Amino acid sequence: MTADFTEVPVLDIAALLDETDPGYARAVANLGDAARRVGFAQIVGHGIDSTLFDDLLTATRAFFALSEQEKLKVHIGRSSNHRGYVPPGEEVFAAGTVDAKEAFDLSVDLPADDPRYLAGNPLLGPNQWPELPGFREAVTAWYDAVFALSRRLLRAFAVALGEPADRFDRHVTAPPSQLRLIHYPFDPAAADRPGIGAHTDYECFTLLRPTAPGLEVLNAAGTWVDVPLIEDAFVLNIGDLLEIWSNGEFVATTHRVRRVAEERYSFPLFVNVDHDTEVAPLPAFADNGKPARTPVIAGEHLFAQTAQSFRYLQERLARGEVTLPAGAHPLATFGRKALTSP
């Protein structure tokens, strides 16, 4: 909340890929500065092979080109761990807006006999996969590459907070880090509604690859700032959990996708820690003059926010089939929009 930023910084993170690089400390400082001032950055020099993205985009286009009947065979409501196809209108954020998008959601692909899945964990287990040749392979290759990058960045965030680089490593064994394949169709006759409504992300941070502009972030003055499309760059943004761990030193900046002016695909990986991780302000930030953030259990926070924003889970809540964790935060609790609300 210290700066009314007017643009999102662009960071070259090549030095973060090697912790012995002479430029590592400066790259960490730049990352920390962006996290404190803006909560967003565009990152280049990430080392992800561009052919992986090409294959992902080809597979994603093929999936969303399927008939509605075929896509609904892997509807997210057919899973017990929130994996699969999300049709338009399924997801609704705090403002009650209906998004003009469809999506396919997946996460770490655990076997069906994993004890955490068998115990009923609502966010862990196997993915649903459509019967589409090459889809699973292309999506999995992308997931693995971006997840590996996220591990490097999580270590850099720890250093930016004055902690040892491995501070969070022990909390990343099988985290519910979700990858979404999102399709924003372009319909010039559609009502003027957002591609996706204003929200913060529920995890530690997000790594996003879009194919077209449309993303906007909210600054401390209440102004929406455009995030321009940069070829081969990831958009990185802080999520709720790093806001809690840093006790507001890092801010989970509110963002949205405005009504799209062209067909758009978007691929966010929401980087999380293990389900049972307790997230509370680090000792160095517990008394930093800012309101103390309430501790959460990472997986419980993610499930609570998800259950409040998906219609099929709201219906399960109403029927008593699932329940919100005790002390669950309502939607729109974090970020600049929450902090600037009366």
Side-chain angles (χ1 to χ4, degrees), residues 96-275:
T97 54
V98 176
D99 298 336
K101 73 171 193 316
E102 57 182 342
F104 184 88
D105 293 357
L106 64 134
S107 190
V108 56
D109 199 11
L110 299 177
D113 61 356
D114 187 280
R116 291 161 292 192
Y117 176 63
L118 295 177
N121 189 300
L123 297 172
L124 295 177
N127 290 319
Q128 286 197 93
W129 295 106
E131 295 181 2
L132 188 62
F135 180 85
R136 180 174 183 169
E137 292 77 11
V139 172
T140 299
W142 178 257
Y143 185 99
D144 291 346
V146 182
F147 182 78
L149 174 63
S150 78
R151 295 293 303 271
R152 292 287 188 184
L153 288 166
L154 190 60
R155 290 174 64 87
F157 276 124
V159 177
L161 289 170
E163 298 287 324
D166 64 355
R167 172 62 182 80
F168 303 122
D169 284 358
R170 62 183 178 273
H171 301 305
V172 186
T173 59
S177 294
Q178 182 189 65
L179 174 64
R180 306 198 77 188
L181 321 179
I182 306 177
H183 176 219
Y184 299 89
F186 176 57
D187 182 359
D192 188 12
R193 62 183 183 183
I196 189 169
H199 64 288
T200 63
D201 293 342
Y202 315 139
E203 299 85 353
C204 291
F205 62 94
T206 302
L207 290 170
L208 166 73
R209 278 293 301 271
T211 64
L215 181 63
E216 298 177 325
V217 301
L218 190 66
N219 70 13
T223 301
W224 289 101
V225 177
D226 182 65
V227 182
L229 181 70
I230 297 178
E231 188 71 25
D232 200 38
F234 281 89
V235 180
L236 179 153
N237 65 275
I238 301 300
D240 295 349
L241 298 187
L242 276 180
E243 180 173 307
I244 296 172
W245 253 320
S246 67
N247 201 34
E249 185 82 6
F250 293 172
V251 177
T253 302
T254 303
H255 52 285
R256 69 185 183 187
V257 175
R258 63 178 181 269
R259 182 186 176 189
V260 296
E262 59 187 294
E263 186 175 41
R264 182 176 187 267
Y265 293 89
S266 178
F267 303 95
L269 177 70
F270 300 101
V271 181
N272 212 336
V273 286
D274 289 337
H275 184 277

Side-chain angles (χ1 to χ4, degrees), residues 80-82 120-123 176 202-203 272 275 297-310 312-313 316-317 321-325 328 331:
S80 59
N81 58 332
H82 197 64
N121 189 300
L123 297 172
Y202 315 139
E203 299 85 353
N272 212 336
H275 184 277
I297 302 300
E300 291 182 358
H301 176 65
L302 174 56
F303 179 72
Q305 299 295 289
T306 302
Q308 293 176 82
S309 55
F310 277 77
Y312 89 95
L313 285 171
R316 290 182 183 178
L317 285 168
E321 296 172 5
V322 297
T323 58
L324 292 180
L331 293 175

